[in-house]
Amino acid sequence: MATDVRNVEEKLDENLLAALPEGGKVVSVTPSGMSDYCNTFRIEVSMPDGSSQVFFEKVANPETKLMESAWTSENTTYEFIPEHVPRPVKKGSYKSRPDRHFFLAEFIEMIEDDIPRPESYMTAIAALHSRSMGKSPNGKFGFPVNTRFGNLEQDNSWTGTWEEYWTRQMKDFLQREDAAHDGEHHAELERLRPLFFEKVLPRFLRPLESDGRSVTPCLIHADLWPGNVKYQTDGETVCVYDACAMWGHNEVDLGVFRNPRYPLGKPYLKEYWKHVPISEPEEDVDSRNTLYMLRNQILLSTLYPHDHKLREIVVSNMKLLVDKVEAEEAAKNGPQTSTYQSRL
């Protein structure tokens, strides 16, 4: 157990000190980074041999599920790419305030204002996917706990097929997006929503698991925007953190790279495909990329409902996919005939 030797009135909680190195002395606690949903701190510990160890604490009150999500996601991700993920140390609750919950990890110094180059960024993501491919604990899609995108809970119930899993998540996300906008009427979104489930998802997900093809679950990070991937101080190796992990189709993690909100784009996708093969049918990869990008955009529209542009971006990309499927139907069978019908 460490001791808090700072000359401050409020010392670190006893349970947090117990998670720090035995014999260490806490000499500094400072805010670290920004979060809308919890408090984050950098904790420096002086060791008996004169060295220092530094830790990162995330603490929330009274959100215990947020810490469970962080702990399970970071531990599982660390298992496969330990060179890129801060080592998780402990999760627990304060002894002095049992409703206050913490997650503790190794603190990694990072370069804040430099988006990693495609080679560095995608090497870590490709390694996560390749090393975890086929290692889902039960061979299914999902995760042992429900994880969080911001403060939005993600239903990770284990599911046997990828189409069923993704369809369930999209239904849940769109329902919550609607609730976040207080049921505000949006005629085009209401027109597109049933077509999205009846036509788009079966069209671009079902072929992945048809005609002898299958999707092998791998561990995905599911929130790879540039704020969660930064260079370590060597300027070469990236640090990847704040996962809302799940076992799913590896291409989900590529959706964010298409999002015009972030300065990433095609160079990052091309770099990834150097390491991991495109899923068959390969000709659908661009449409699947748009489909997976929609997840990120729907969740952002839910988190920030007052930014109406975010909702319009969702509608625009949903319409793009619906129009594409209906154009295919019109060319093949006539405008009134649907090739795909939803199984759900």
Side-chain angles (χ1 to χ4, degrees):
M1 181 172 181
T3 56
D4 191 342
V5 299
R6 295 175 301 145
N7 184 24
V8 295
E9 183 176 340
E10 185 175 352
K11 304 287 189 176
L12 291 185
D13 182 83
E14 184 176 333
N15 285 351
L16 181 58
L17 289 169
L20 295 171
E22 181 72 27
K25 296 180 180 180
V26 175
V27 295
S28 173
V29 178
T30 54
S32 176
M34 297 177 62
S35 173
D36 293 333
Y37 311 107
C38 58
N39 296 316
T40 54
F41 299 97
R42 179 186 186 275
I43 302 173
E44 184 175 355
V45 180
S46 176
M47 300 302 296
D49 64 1
S51 64
S52 292
Q53 295 187 30
V54 185
F55 299 87
F56 172 80
E57 182 199 15
K58 180 183 290 187
V59 59
N61 177 28
E63 188 53 272
T64 181
K65 289 184 179 180
L66 188 63
M67 296 303 106
E68 183 70 25
S69 167
W71 174 255
T72 312
S73 290
E74 298 302 308
N75 260 297
T76 311
T77 308
Y78 180 81
E79 177 184 347
F80 293 104
I81 50 169
E83 70 272 35
H84 295 293
V85 176
R87 177 179 59 87
V89 175
K90 183 77 173 180
K91 73 171 177 69
S93 302
Y94 281 10
K95 183 175 182 179
S96 58
R97 292 182 57 185
D99 65 338
R100 196 162 174 80
H101 312 287
F102 69 87
F103 163 75
L104 189 69
E106 173 189 23
F107 187 93
I108 302 294
E109 296 287 351
M110 291 176 276
I111 302 173
E112 285 297 325
D113 299 321
D114 191 5
I115 295 177
R117 298 182 302 276
E119 297 80 3
S120 298
Y121 210 123
M122 304 315 288
T123 293
I125 309 314
L128 173 64
H129 296 166
S130 299
R131 294 175 191 176
S132 64
M133 190 73 69
K135 296 181 180 178
S136 168
N138 54 18
K140 295 183 178 183
F141 304 98
F143 204 61
V145 301
N146 287 350
T147 47
R148 299 297 180 96
F149 183 97
N151 67 342
L152 299 175
E153 188 169 2
Q154 175 174 285
D155 180 6
N156 290 323
S157 302
W158 293 108
T159 309
T161 73
W162 178 240
E163 182 183 346
E164 181 183 356
Y165 181 84
W166 196 251
T167 300
R168 186 187 71 231
Q169 283 214 340
M170 289 299 100
K171 286 182 176 179
D172 179 44
F173 292 159
L174 281 167
Q175 286 172 358
R176 284 193 276 171
E177 196 272 349
D178 187 61
H181 288 263
D182 294 321
E184 177 185 340
H185 178 69
H186 192 299
E188 183 66 351
L189 181 56
E190 291 174 16
R191 181 187 75 85
L192 291 169
R193 189 183 289 117
L195 297 173
F196 180 70
F197 291 106
E198 293 166 11
K199 296 186 176 187
V200 172
L201 294 189
R203 166 63 185 88
F204 294 117
L205 296 183
R206 193 166 301 168
L208 290 165
E209 299 175 295
S210 302
D211 300 325
R213 294 183 288 264
S214 62
V215 177
T216 301
C218 74
L219 189 68
I220 60 178
H221 181 285
D223 192 13
L224 286 169
W225 75 292
N228 289 341
V229 183
K230 296 184 182 298
Y231 276 128
Q232 298 182 35
T233 53
D234 64 5
E236 293 291 337
T237 308
V238 298
C239 185
V240 182
Y241 53 97
D242 269 3
C244 53
M246 60 180 170
W247 292 92
H249 184 204
N250 62 295
E251 290 181 13
V252 170
D253 265 343
L254 305 183
V256 70
F257 294 92
R258 191 188 192 94
N259 195 335
R261 184 181 179 91
Y262 309 120
L264 301 170
K266 288 185 179 180
Y268 289 81
L269 296 173
K270 289 179 179 179
E271 182 63 30
Y272 178 83
W273 299 127
K274 293 178 184 178
H275 304 277
V276 181
I278 297 173
S279 297
E280 296 289 345
E282 186 172 336
E283 60 268 22
D284 288 343
V285 66
D286 191 65
S287 295
R288 291 194 303 264
N289 192 230
T290 302
L291 175 61
Y292 292 145
M293 175 183 64
L294 263 174
R295 170 189 178 272
N296 180 268
Q297 293 178 335
I298 291 167
L299 291 171
L300 288 173
S301 179
T302 306
L303 286 171
Y304 308 108
H306 300 299
D307 187 345
H308 297 290
K309 290 183 295 184
L310 293 173
R311 192 173 222 197
E312 293 307 318
I313 291 171
V314 171
V315 172
S316 175
N317 284 299
M318 192 177 288
K319 184 177 186 300
L320 182 72
L321 291 170
V322 169
D323 286 351
K324 182 168 186 175
V325 174
E326 291 188 333
E328 288 180 353
E329 292 175 349
K332 184 176 182 180
N333 303 312
Q336 302 302 317
T337 303
S338 176
T339 304
Y340 291 88
Q341 296 295 326
S342 177
R343 291 172 176 167
L344 304 176

